[in-house]
Amino acid sequence: MADIIQAEGLTKVYHGKVKAVDHISFHVSEGEIFGFLGPNGAGKTTTIKMLNTLASITEGRATVAGHDVAKEPGAVRKSIGVVPQELTADDELSGTENMMLMARLHHVRGSAATAKIGELLRLVDLEDASRRKVKTFSGGMRRRLQLVMGLLHEPKVLFLDEPTLGLDVQTRSKMWNYIKGLNKDRGLTVFMTTHYLDEADSLCERIAIVDHGTIKVSGSPAELKAAHGGDVVTLKLSGGADLTEFFSGIEGVSEVAREGDVYRIKLPRAERALPAIVTGVVQKNLEIQEISFSKPTLDQVFLDVVGRSMRDEEASESDSAWENIRMERAR
Amino acid sequence: MLEETAALTFRALRKWVRNPASVMPGLFTAMFYLALFGSSFNPANLIPAAYASAASSFLKADFGGAPTYITYLTSGVICIILVFNMAFGGIDLVLDRQLGYLNSLLTAPVPRAAIYLSGVAQNLAKVLLLAVLTFIVALFIPNGLQLPASFGVVDFLGTFVAFVLLGLGLSFVFTALALTVRSIDSLVAIVNFLTLPIMFMSNAFFPPSIFPGWLRDVADVNPVTKANEAARLLIVNGGALTSSELGTYEADIAYLVVFAAVLGLIGYLAAKRALRPE
C-alpha cells in the first residue's frame, strides 16, 4: 500500500542546542495504525508537531498525504485531523457547539455539518450528552469528544497524541475500541504516540520505539516480541540437584537463571519445550511445586532495546503546574 | 478569512455572555474611580472656599468648562477602563495557548490572520460594552456626569468613535503581545509596566496644563489624551461645537485613525511572527 506519511532524517533542534528529534526516518502506509512508543521526553510529541505543522523542521523532510510539510503546510492541514494531548474542547460550550466551531473552521457548513456532527457524536456514544456543557463531562467523555472533533472534515490521517492519558483502565479500552473502529470502518490512517505499552500492543499494527530522539527499533508488536523477548518458563522445584545445565541443554533454550529452587528458562516457544522440561524433572525424581510460562510483552522488548524499564520512566513523569491542571481537567 | 474570524470571535463572546458576572470587576473599577476618586480628588474641593471664584474660573479654563469634575472624569475613566481591560484581556489568549486550544487552531486550515483578528475583535467587543456601561453609570452618580441639553445620539456616537479608535489601536497591540508571550506572569509584568504610565501621562484625570513641561509634552502626544479631548468636547458642549472645536475634534480623530492603523500593521506583523511554527 502507498505510504501516506514519509519522514526522512527528520530532526528538530530547539534554540540551537536542544536536540529533541535526531534524524528520524520512517513511513506509514495508508490505512495503518502506527504508534510511536517511548518514555516522556523521547521526542514523540515533537515528531507529531513537525508532521502537523506546529513545529518547524530543522533538518530532513516529511510528507503527509502527498504534501511536503515544510512547503505546503496549508494542504497538509486540510488533510489531517489532530487530537492533541491537552483537552482543548471548550468547557463553557456544549459538545455540539464545540463540534460546530470545528466544522466552521474546516468549512463544513449547513446541513452537511449538522449531519456529520450527529453521526460522529453517535459514533462515540455522546449524542445524549451533546447539549450539555463540556465542563460537566467526565474525563473519558472529553477524550471521546476530542477524538471526533478532529474528524469533521474527513481527514486522511488522524494524529493522536497520547489518546488515553489520564484515563482509567476501563475507559482506556473503550477508547481503543473507538480508535480501532475508525481505522477499520473508515480506513482512517492513524499516527499515534503513547507511553503505555499495552496501548501500543493492543492498537498498533506497527510501532517504533523511540528514546532520546531516535528510533531504536520498529516493526509489528509480534515481530518485536519474537525478536527481543521470547517466552519465559518459571519453575519451582522441591529442592534437589542443580538442573541449570540440564535445562540449558534443551533445544531452543537461550538462557537459564536460577534463584534457590526457582528457575527462569528463556526460550522462543514454551509450548514445544514444556514436555521435555517436565519429563526431565520427573526422571530426576524431583517434584514440581509451581510452573508457569509467560509470553513476551512489549515491556521486555522495551527493556531490551532501551536498556531500562518503561515503568521506571513513569515514576519520573513531569509534574509541572500545567500538567496538574491538565490532569485535573481530565478527571 | 472572515468566516473563521467570525466563528472564533463568536466562540469567545458566547463564553463571555454565558458568564455575565465577568464584566462586574471592570464595572466596579469604573464606579470606584468615578464615585470615589471623582469625589475625593474633585479639584473644586481641593481649593479652599476663600478662593471660590478663582476655583470656578480654574475649572472653566482648565477642565474645558465641565460642569462637574465627574463630567470631566467620565471620558478619562472610560479610557483607563479601555487600557486596563484591553491589556489584561490578553490573559485569555495566553490561557488558550497554554491549554493547547491555540495549537488546535494552528493545525486546522485557519488563516493566521483570522486567529489574530478574532483576538482583536473579542477584546474590543468586551471592552466597549464596559465603556458603554461606565458611561451610563456615570449619569446616575450624584453630582456626576451632566450632559448638556443639546447632547444627542450623534454626539454619543461621536464620543464613542474616539473610544472605538483608541480601543482598536490598543487591542491591536495588546492582542499581538498576548500571542507573543508564553506565560501569564510575563504578560502581567509587561502590562503593569505599560498601563500606569499610559494612564498618568495623559489627561485622563487632570488637564495637562497643570503638568510640568516634560510631562505635558508626553501627554500631548498620548493617544489617550487625544481620545479624551475629542470625547470631552462633545460631552461638555453637545451639538454646539464652534468651528475651532470641531477642527480639534477632527484632528484628534485623524490622529487616532493613524494610531490605530500603525499599531494594526505592527500588531499584525508581530502576531504573524508569534504564530509561526515553533
Side-chain angles (χ1 to χ4, degrees):
Chain A
M1 251 185 285
D3 289 341
I4 198 156
I5 301 177
Q6 284 179 312
E8 271 153 54
L10 213 52
T11 302
K12 178 68 188 178
V13 181
Y14 281 110
H15 311 298
K17 44 181 191 268
V18 185
K19 209 172 229 181
V21 175
D22 190 3
H23 293 91
I24 274 185
S25 299
F26 62 95
H27 62 93
V28 179
S29 313
E30 212 171 332
E32 191 173 35
I33 301 185
F34 184 82
F36 253 35
L37 176 68
N40 293 308
K44 304 183 305 272
T45 299
T46 305
T47 305
I48 267 204
K49 280 185 165 177
M50 282 192 279
L51 294 176
N52 64 29
T53 76
L54 280 179
S56 62
I57 295 169
T58 311
E59 212 187 305
R61 73 185 281 272
T63 59
V64 173
H67 304 288
D68 188 299
V69 176
K71 290 181 192 135
E72 309 163 78
V76 170
R77 286 178 199 131
K78 274 183 198 155
S79 44
I80 61 172
V82 180
V83 181
Q85 212 175 98
E86 301 91 352
L87 298 162
T88 61
D90 211 309
D91 272 1
E92 293 295 327
L93 304 184
S94 71
T96 309
E97 284 167 343
N98 269 295
M99 293 288 275
M100 203 51 127
L101 175 70
M102 290 314 276
R104 285 181 73 186
L105 294 181
H106 283 98
H107 303 280
V108 184
R109 295 189 182 85
S111 57
T114 318
K116 192 85 205 160
I117 289 170
E119 176 206 325
L120 288 172
L121 288 174
R122 247 191 321 281
L123 192 76
V124 289
D125 300 316
L126 277 180
E127 49 188 335
D128 294 334
S130 63
R131 287 171 173 279
R132 273 163 47 192
K133 281 190 188 175
V134 170
K135 67 178 169 196
T136 68
F137 279 23
S138 68
M141 290 163 78
R142 280 170 191 262
R143 286 269 167 219
R144 268 139 65 193
L145 177 65
Q146 197 86 47
L147 181 66
V148 287
M149 273 169 70
L151 293 175
L152 281 153
H153 54 299
E154 303 189 346
K156 295 196 176 86
V157 187
L158 185 65
F159 288 94
L160 300 174
D161 195 4
E162 301 280 0
T164 63
L165 192 70
L167 296 182
D168 60 65
V169 177
Q170 264 185 322
T171 319
R172 278 174 63 201
S173 71
K174 252 188 172 173
M175 268 303 270
W176 295 348
N177 288 338
Y178 292 126
I179 296 169
K180 278 181 194 160
L182 287 170
N183 170 258
K184 271 220 182 72
D185 305 340
R186 298 169 184 237
L188 190 66
T189 308
V190 176
F191 179 97
M192 61 180 282
T193 70
T194 181
H195 68 275
Y196 297 121
L197 297 151
D198 52 343
E199 182 160 289
D201 204 357
S202 147
L203 271 179
C204 302
E205 283 153 74
R206 278 195 312 132
I207 58 175
I209 293 182
V210 283
D211 191 38
H212 298 304
T214 58
I215 292 182
K216 299 292 177 193
V217 66
S218 67
S220 74
E223 278 166 23
L224 294 182
K225 284 185 280 197
H228 293 270
D231 298 1
V232 176
V233 175
T234 309
L235 187 70
K236 190 176 176 193
L237 303 180
S238 54
D242 183 350
L243 295 186
T244 309
E245 214 159 299
F246 165 72
F247 289 137
S248 303
I250 294 172
E251 201 190 330
V253 169
S254 61
E255 204 185 309
V256 180
R258 179 185 177 216
E259 221 176 288
D261 295 330
V262 179
Y263 295 83
R264 282 171 56 83
I265 304 164
K266 211 169 161 184
L267 68 176
R269 299 276 312 263
E271 306 85 300
R272 289 199 189 156
L274 270 177
I277 292 173
V278 174
T279 330
V281 173
V282 171
Q283 280 174 358
K284 293 194 161 44
N285 279 324
L286 292 171
E287 195 185 320
I288 297 176
Q289 292 191 327
E290 278 173 39
I291 183 163
S292 66
F293 77 92
S294 60
K295 287 278 161 194
T297 62
L298 276 181
D299 202 27
Q300 269 168 270
V301 179
F302 191 85
L303 185 67
D304 206 36
V305 170
V306 176
R308 56 185 194 278
S309 169
M310 190 74 159
R311 292 195 183 90
D312 303 338
E313 295 294 328
E314 289 189 19
S316 65
E317 258 184 63
S318 130
D319 59 348
S320 71
W322 284 110
E323 197 75 22
N324 289 339
I325 287 183
R326 275 186 214 127
M327 301 304 272
E328 201 65 42
R329 295 184 89 192
R331 254 169 228 145
Chain B
M1 189 182 80
L2 279 179
E3 184 185 359
E4 292 96 340
T5 307
L8 293 174
T9 309
F10 191 58
R11 166 247 177 195
L13 293 181
R14 170 130 62 165
K15 275 176 71 175
W16 193 56
V17 166
R18 288 197 183 162
N19 189 9
S22 64
V23 316
M24 294 317 284
L27 199 55
F28 281 132
T29 310
M31 278 164 61
F32 293 150
Y33 265 112
L34 284 172
L36 303 183
F37 185 92
S39 303
S40 54
F41 284 84
N42 184 350
N45 301 336
L46 296 175
I47 299 168
Y51 304 99
S53 70
S56 108
S57 68
F58 169 59
L59 276 184
K60 222 169 230 131
D62 290 270
F63 289 82
T68 64
Y69 178 53
I70 292 178
T71 304
Y72 178 85
L73 194 59
T74 300
S75 80
V77 169
I78 290 180
C79 288
I80 295 319
I81 290 291
L82 289 182
V83 173
F84 272 78
N85 286 280
M86 208 63 94
F88 287 99
I91 288 178
D92 284 351
L93 297 176
V94 180
L95 272 175
D96 278 350
R97 188 189 278 277
Q98 289 184 333
L99 294 175
Y101 172 77
L102 181 65
N103 275 351
S104 71
L105 299 183
L106 290 173
T107 55
V110 178
R112 316 287 101 157
I115 298 175
Y116 174 56
L117 288 178
S118 74
V120 171
Q122 74 192 53
N123 266 342
L124 189 63
K126 289 180 196 176
V127 171
L128 282 178
L129 174 71
L130 210 48
V132 172
L133 292 175
T134 303
F135 192 87
I136 294 168
V137 164
L139 287 170
F140 290 94
I141 293 176
N143 225 0
L145 173 60
Q146 293 175 7
L147 297 170
S150 61
F151 189 90
V153 174
V154 177
D155 304 303
F156 178 80
L157 294 178
T159 306
F160 270 79
V161 166
F163 296 145
V164 168
L165 288 172
L166 177 69
L168 189 60
L170 292 169
S171 194
F172 277 140
V173 70
F174 282 120
T175 301
L177 178 68
L179 290 175
T180 305
V181 298
R182 292 295 188 270
S183 78
I184 291 178
D185 287 349
S186 37
L187 180 75
V188 169
I190 296 170
V191 158
N192 271 329
F193 182 78
L194 291 175
T195 45
L196 290 183
I198 294 177
M199 173 164 96
F200 288 119
M201 295 166 117
S202 81
N203 61 353
F205 299 136
F206 297 109
S209 57
I210 64 168
F211 291 176
W214 63 270
L215 188 56
R216 188 160 59 226
D217 292 342
V218 181
D220 281 346
V221 294
N222 187 340
V224 170
T225 301
K226 303 289 182 190
N228 266 322
E229 192 174 62
R232 276 180 189 144
L233 279 171
L234 294 172
I235 287 174
V236 172
N237 303 302
L241 289 193
T242 65
S243 68
S244 92
E245 284 169 343
L246 194 61
T248 307
Y249 175 84
E250 285 167 359
D252 288 340
I253 296 298
Y255 188 94
L256 290 170
V257 168
V258 174
F259 162 76
V262 170
L263 289 190
L265 185 65
I266 295 172
Y268 173 67
L269 295 176
K272 214 169 126 184
R273 207 184 138 76
L275 295 176
R276 277 189 323 194
E278 63 187 43

